[in-house]
Amino acid sequence: LDCNTCSSDPAAVQMLAVAEANNIGTAWSRHAQQQPQCGFGTTGLCCRICLKGPCRIDPFGQGPQFGICGADRDTIVARHLVRMMAAGAAAHSEHGRHIALAMLHLSQGHLHDYSIRDEEKLLVVAKRLGVATEGRDLMTIVRELADLTLHDFQNQNYDEPCHWLAASLPAPRLKKLGDLGLLPHNIDAAVAQSMSRTHLGCDADPTNLILGGLRVALADLDGEMLATELSDALFGTPKPIVTTSNLGVIKRDAVNVAVNGHNPLLSDIICDIAADLNDEAIAAGAKDGINIIGICCTGNEVMVRHGIPLATNYLSQELPILTGALDAMVLDVQCIMPSLPRVAECFHTKIITTDKQNKIAGATHMDFQEAKASENAKSIVRMAIEAFKHRDPRRIQIPNITQQAIVGFSTEAIVAALATINAADPLQPLVDNIVNGNIQGVVLFAGCNNTKTQQDSAYIAIARSLAKRNVLVLATGCAAGAYAKAGMMTQDATRQYAGEGLKSVLTAIGESAGLGGPLPLVLHMGSCVDNSRAVALATALANKLGVDISDLPLVASAPEAMTEKAVVIGSWAVALGIPTHLGTVPPIVGSDVVSQLVTTTARDLLGGYFIVETDPELAADKMFAAIQERRDGLGI
Ligand code: BF8
Ligand code: SF4
């Protein structure tokens, strides 16, 4: 394995060499073992929906053109794509449901370790959803907001769209989506209907299938919105905070506990109680106490809210173990590699699963319950302290690589920074600078890591290329992790890579907001569910200008799209009217019909469309062209 071509992250390359030298399998070595990957699966032409299968369509038109049931390539590709969207929506919205139920249980007095940390945010979203707030007891409002949120999982009236979407999107977009029948009434029903219509012998019309997919994609957005907004009320709305990133955040003299997964209900409490156990860690010989670090999206959640350092993003999640100084990795849900216990076998690291529905053979399971959150979190951290005692000091090698990262750019934080320039009308300075061209447009980088490309490199190349052309850069999820690790969430990065117009705007805002210099080049908006924050910002801009999201000079990019969640996010971005770049080729190229549907047809119907481009420079050019087209449309 040539470690240098695997990742552009120098810390990952360094640890990967350790893995290779010790013959420890990683995602990269397993990727190599999987080559060549099946062409039928890659193009989407393999169907496994019934037990007569698998059936394969010959992509060149010589062999079989129909599955045994008679399904053609278009039906097969569309069905599988819709199933990916449904799984993504299920994942995000299950996370959202978990948070909503915690809110409900809090209001019922069953949870003692959680509270409403951001009352202001709670009241703002309650009002937005139509909950009366004046003169009412806080927990009554929490109860009603939780009930209303859970209604989005229970409503059986097909004509009543999900509340969070209806209360959050611009009116013209709601109208367009409603007219096309794309507004879901119930998240769970949308997922179930996607599964049901893609069963053998049901929906076989690719257009109808893809429209159904967009409906479940919007249900996914509903789930993401409620997850973000309720998490802010519970744990605080992110504000700019300075922290660090990359594997150097692991400390030799501390008990290092990594939180990996997605749900802040667990990771936030672990951050909370860590200080209480510092003395126990010191007594065990860790003179720096307990050091919590983040991986993937739960890492992003605690990074943007509490400044917890982010160790790494998805693809390199096995590597912190190889430092020999990671004492525990605490897992909740999603994007967790089942290989972790195997890697940890070679070290002292304790791998702890915490969710009943997400166990891994070889890991220790600790059933985390919100009603006993602090107690459970303490037990987890104590397992790490115990593991620390079994470290082998000779095997410790921590890459001396960290980058500063200024993070925590929620929509509210961006608006607050802008308000220091114009308190009466915070969005006006942003609009003025978009109109005068200092800012050409906005790009949201979202999504994952994928072994099909060099880790993080396309993120960095495309962002630099667009920032030089004065495009404002936002990021979430593992995209944000890539930029944090690479030092692109710093003021220096702005000085170095931003075009003159963008630099002047970021400097004016940063200085007026008291940052003593520019805003960072890339604004970290949070985890993957926090893509909903970018929608909130776009909606605020569209409403201010009296236009639709599809009119804004806004593009999205997922250079390393990988999960079903990424597929569904990209799909709702298209449904909202956003040109959306994918840097990895989705398994749809076996069907020209489906490829057309998600590009040209989507564009005609919704304004948004997918741009599939694996070359980073060409991708940047295509996105910049899309931004220019939008600017032309607005007459600016
Ligand atoms: O939700 S970006 S690899 S960690 S799916 Fe997963 Fe992709 Fe990372 Fe977060 Ni999002
Ligand atoms: Fe084959 Fe049809 Fe069954 Fe798919 S659903 S595996 S195409 S018979």
Side-chain angles (χ1 to χ4, degrees):
L1 208 60
D2 176 359
C3 302
N4 284 304
T5 60
C6 292
S7 178
S8 67
D9 169 358
V13 170
Q14 202 176 318
M15 291 325 290
L16 199 48
V18 175
E20 288 290 290
N22 291 283
N23 218 358
I24 296 172
T26 61
W28 287 281
S29 64
R30 295 188 294 271
H31 172 87
Q33 285 162 4
Q34 286 294 335
Q35 302 313 308
Q37 284 169 286
C38 170
F40 294 99
T42 303
T43 49
L45 292 176
C46 168
C47 183
R48 293 199 314 143
I49 273 176
C50 89
L51 302 185
K52 297 196 294 311
C55 296
R56 309 190 299 186
I57 304 299
D58 181 81
F60 307 110
Q62 276 127 31
Q65 295 302 299
F66 302 99
I68 297 167
C69 68
D72 65 11
R73 62 176 67 218
D74 306 320
T75 302
I76 289 173
V77 167
R79 264 194 320 214
H80 285 78
L81 183 64
V82 171
R83 286 204 163 190
M84 289 190 90
M85 296 182 199
H92 281 139
S93 57
E94 191 55 25
H95 167 168
R97 185 202 326 264
H98 203 150
I99 309 264
L101 285 172
M103 283 281 249
L104 179 70
H105 299 151
L106 175 68
S107 73
Q108 293 167 333
H110 301 320
L111 303 186
H112 304 292
D113 300 327
Y114 299 94
S115 59
I116 299 299
R117 290 218 195 122
D118 191 340
E119 274 190 42
E120 195 187 328
K121 173 89 184 222
L122 178 91
L123 295 179
V124 168
V125 292
K127 270 190 210 143
R128 201 166 91 212
L129 274 273
V131 176
T133 56
E134 285 305 313
R136 297 180 87 196
D137 168 62
L138 185 70
M139 281 304 149
T140 310
I141 299 169
V142 172
R143 173 69 195 257
E144 257 181 50
L145 182 58
D147 282 342
L148 208 58
T149 300
L150 291 167
H151 186 76
D152 279 2
F153 293 89
Q154 289 150 359
N155 172 37
Q156 301 304 329
N157 177 0
Y158 211 86
D159 298 324
E160 180 192 343
C162 285
H163 283 123
W164 281 86
L165 284 177
S168 308
L169 293 178
R173 188 55 27 177
L174 282 171
K175 164 108 181 49
K176 177 161 278 188
L177 296 172
D179 290 349
L180 289 166
L182 299 184
L183 280 178
H185 67 296
N186 171 325
I187 298 170
D188 286 345
V191 172
Q193 286 162 350
S194 301
M195 295 309 286
S196 131
R197 74 194 298 163
T198 53
H199 184 275
L200 166 93
C202 296
D203 201 353
D205 174 346
T207 309
N208 205 40
L209 276 162
I210 296 300
L211 286 170
L214 293 179
R215 197 162 186 276
V216 79
L218 287 156
D220 174 85
L221 175 58
D222 196 71
E224 291 190 44
M225 281 175 172
L226 65 92
T228 296
E229 303 288 57
L230 299 185
S231 294
D232 279 356
L234 279 169
F235 306 114
T237 305
K239 295 189 193 61
I241 188 165
V242 184
T243 182
T244 49
S245 181
N246 217 333
L247 291 175
V249 303
I250 296 173
K251 294 185 190 161
R252 178 178 280 269
D253 295 318
V255 173
N256 293 296
V257 183
V259 289
N260 182 5
H262 284 78
N263 195 329
L265 282 168
L266 169 69
S267 53
D268 216 272
I269 286 282
I270 290 195
C271 298
D272 253 13
I273 60 100
D276 298 351
L277 299 181
N278 252 340
D279 289 345
E280 288 181 35
I282 293 166
K287 70 175 168 46
D288 290 342
I290 290 164
N291 182 36
I292 309 286
I293 55 174
I295 300 177
C296 295
C297 277
T298 215
N300 285 320
E301 296 269 356
V302 290
M303 184 189 214
V304 294
R305 292 206 177 89
H306 309 304
I308 298 293
L310 186 80
T312 203
N313 51 354
Y314 169 78
L315 201 50
S316 35
Q317 65 180 271
E318 296 161 303
L319 305 182
I321 300 171
L322 295 164
T323 63
L326 185 70
D327 302 300
M329 196 188 290
V330 187
L331 312 171
D332 54 72
V333 298
Q334 300 169 18
C335 302
I336 294 159
M337 289 187 187
S339 57
L340 292 169
R342 271 197 306 275
V343 178
E345 258 173 26
C346 319
F347 293 86
H348 72 293
T349 313
K350 195 93 180 156
I351 304 291
I352 306 162
T353 55
T354 60
D355 184 289
K356 273 195 235 19
Q357 295 178 40
N358 292 266
K359 295 187 180 181
I360 305 175
T364 303
H365 187 71
M366 152 92 228
D367 193 29
F368 178 77
Q369 292 168 7
E370 284 86 45
K372 297 184 192 157
S374 287
E375 189 188 320
N376 290 167
K378 278 188 184 152
S379 310
I380 288 169
V381 175
R382 287 197 174 110
M383 285 186 208
I385 297 174
E386 188 51 38
F388 171 86
K389 298 174 188 165
H390 301 285
R391 267 195 201 174
D392 180 349
R394 288 164 307 179
R395 299 189 68 191
I396 297 179
Q397 43 182 332
I398 306 169
N400 187 18
I401 297 172
T402 50
Q403 292 285 354
Q404 187 201 58
I406 308 172
V407 303
F409 292 92
S410 57
T411 311
E412 289 84 348
I414 293 173
V415 172
L418 289 164
T420 62
I421 295 181
N422 183 342
D425 193 358
L427 289 177
Q428 193 58 44
L430 186 56
V431 168
D432 290 344
N433 279 293
I434 292 174
V435 171
N436 71 20
N438 275 338
I439 294 179
Q440 290 289 313
V442 181
V443 58
L444 166 68
F445 285 96
C448 321
N449 286 144
N450 191 323
T451 40
K452 288 181 173 163
T453 70
Q454 185 189 38
Q455 184 189 22
D456 299 346
S457 68
Y459 281 116
I460 293 162
I462 301 174
R464 282 187 191 166
S465 173
L466 288 175
K468 197 162 81 195
R469 288 182 256 184
N470 299 305
V471 176
L472 178 66
V473 184
L474 312 175
T476 59
C478 288
Y483 295 121
K485 288 189 299 171
M488 288 179 69
M489 292 174 164
T490 58
Q491 296 182 324
D492 277 348
T494 306
R495 294 185 189 108
Q496 200 175 341
Y497 301 115
E500 287 312 313
L502 178 65
K503 197 184 297 180
S504 70
V505 180
L506 292 178
T507 305
I509 301 171
E511 280 176 353
S512 120
L515 291 179
L519 292 180
L521 184 72
V522 181
L523 301 181
H524 191 325
M525 293 197 105
S527 64
C528 268
V529 292
D530 294 337
N531 283 310
S532 62
R533 298 191 197 279
V535 175
L537 185 64
T539 298
L541 273 176
N543 288 344
K544 175 158 175 62
L545 296 171
V547 300
D548 197 352
I549 293 177
S550 54
D551 299 315
L552 297 174
L554 166 67
V555 294
S557 174
E560 296 190 48
M562 181 261 305
T563 60
E564 292 158 319
K565 291 185 290 171
V567 170
V568 78
I569 289 171
S571 304
W572 62 244
V574 165
L576 293 187
I578 302 171
T580 300
H581 162 246
L582 298 176
T584 46
V585 182
I588 63 169
V589 292
S591 163
D592 289 343
V593 171
V594 173
S595 301
Q596 288 275 325
L597 279 168
V598 300
T599 52
T600 36
T601 315
R603 185 183 187 137
D604 294 343
L605 280 179
L606 297 154
Y609 51 95
F610 280 112
I611 303 166
V612 179
E613 177 54 68
T614 54
D615 180 278
E617 220 26 72
L618 291 177
D621 288 348
K622 289 180 182 174
M623 281 188 270
F624 192 71
I627 285 173
Q628 294 310 318
E629 210 179 287
R630 296 284 154 106
R631 291 184 65 90
D632 290 348
L634 287 169
I636 56 176

